[in-house]
C-alpha cells in the first residue's frame, strides 16, 4: 500500500503543480497591481481546493483502472480484489485531501498578503470611469 501512496502523491502532485503554474501565470498577468495579483491567486487557489475536495469525495467510487495511478503501478501493486480496491480509494482520497489542505494554506496566505498590502495603502485595480 505504500507503493500506491507513493505513486498517488507523485501523480496528484504533478497535477497540482500544473494548476499552480497556471495560477502563477495569472498572478504575473496582474503584476501591475499586487493586491489584485494576490487576490486573484487566492481565488483561483480556492477553486483548486474545491476541485481537490471534489476528487477526494468521489475517489472511493472510481474504478482504479481509470486512474493515472493505475498506469504507474507495477502488476503486483495493483489492487485486484474488493477490499484492496477500497484501500486504493481511501489512499487516493487521503492524498487529494493532503494537497487540498496545502492549497488551502497557500490561498489563506495569498489573502493575507493581499490584506497587508491594502493596509499599507495599495488599492485593488479599478477600471477608469467613462
Amino acid at each position: 500500500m505504500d507503493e500506491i501512496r507513493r505513486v498517488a502523491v507523485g501523480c496528484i502532485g504533478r497535477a497540482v503543480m500544473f494548476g499552480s503554474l497556471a495560477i502563477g501565470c495569472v498572478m504575473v498577468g496582474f503584476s501591475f497591481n499586487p493586491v489584485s495579483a494576490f487576490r486573484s491567486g487566492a481565488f483561483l487557489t480556492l477553486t483548486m481546493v474545491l476541485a481537490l475536495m471534489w476528487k477526494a469525495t468521489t475517489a472511493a467510487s472510481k474504478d482504479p483502472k481509470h486512474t493515472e495511478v493505475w498506469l504507474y503501478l507495477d502488476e503486483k501493486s495493483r489492487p485486484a480484489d474488493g477490499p484492496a480496491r477500497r484501500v486504493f480509494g481511501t489512499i487516493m482520497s487521503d492524498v487529494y485531501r493532503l494537497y487540498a489542505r496545502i492549497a488551502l494554506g497557500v490561498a489563506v496566505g495569498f489573502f493575507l498578503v493581499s490584506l497587508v498590502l491594502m493596509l499599507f495603502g495599495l488599492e485593488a485595480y479599478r477600471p477608469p470611469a467613462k
Side-chain angles (χ1 to χ4, degrees):
M1 297 306 151
D2 289 334
E3 180 69 12
I4 294 173
R5 183 173 303 280
R6 185 187 67 74
V7 172
V9 166
C11 290
I12 296 169
R14 182 176 49 240
V16 170
M17 186 258 320
F18 282 122
S20 301
L21 179 64
I23 292 168
C25 289
V26 170
M27 290 177 69
V28 168
F30 281 110
S31 63
F32 62 91
N33 187 309
V35 174
S36 294
F38 282 103
R39 194 176 291 168
S40 65
F43 176 76
L44 292 171
T45 305
L46 281 176
T47 304
M48 185 166 61
V49 169
L50 288 174
L52 288 168
M53 289 306 294
W54 174 258
K55 295 290 281 183
T57 49
T58 60
S61 64
K62 298 282 184 192
D63 183 9
K65 292 180 182 178
H66 297 127
T67 63
E68 182 184 8
V69 174
W70 180 271
L71 297 174
Y72 286 101
L73 288 173
D74 54 359
E75 291 294 327
K76 65 179 175 63
S77 299
R78 292 179 175 171
D81 57 352
R85 288 175 183 252
R86 282 192 293 279
V87 169
F88 183 86
T90 303
I91 290 171
M92 293 293 288
S93 181
D94 289 346
V95 174
Y96 278 121
R97 283 191 178 94
L98 168 70
Y99 281 109
R101 280 194 305 271
I102 293 169
L104 182 61
V106 170
V108 168
F110 284 161
F111 270 129
L112 289 176
V113 170
S114 172
L115 286 173
V116 167
L117 290 173
M118 285 176 54
L119 289 174
F120 283 117
L122 292 173
E123 293 183 15
Y125 176 74
R126 292 190 177 97
K130 291 183 179 184

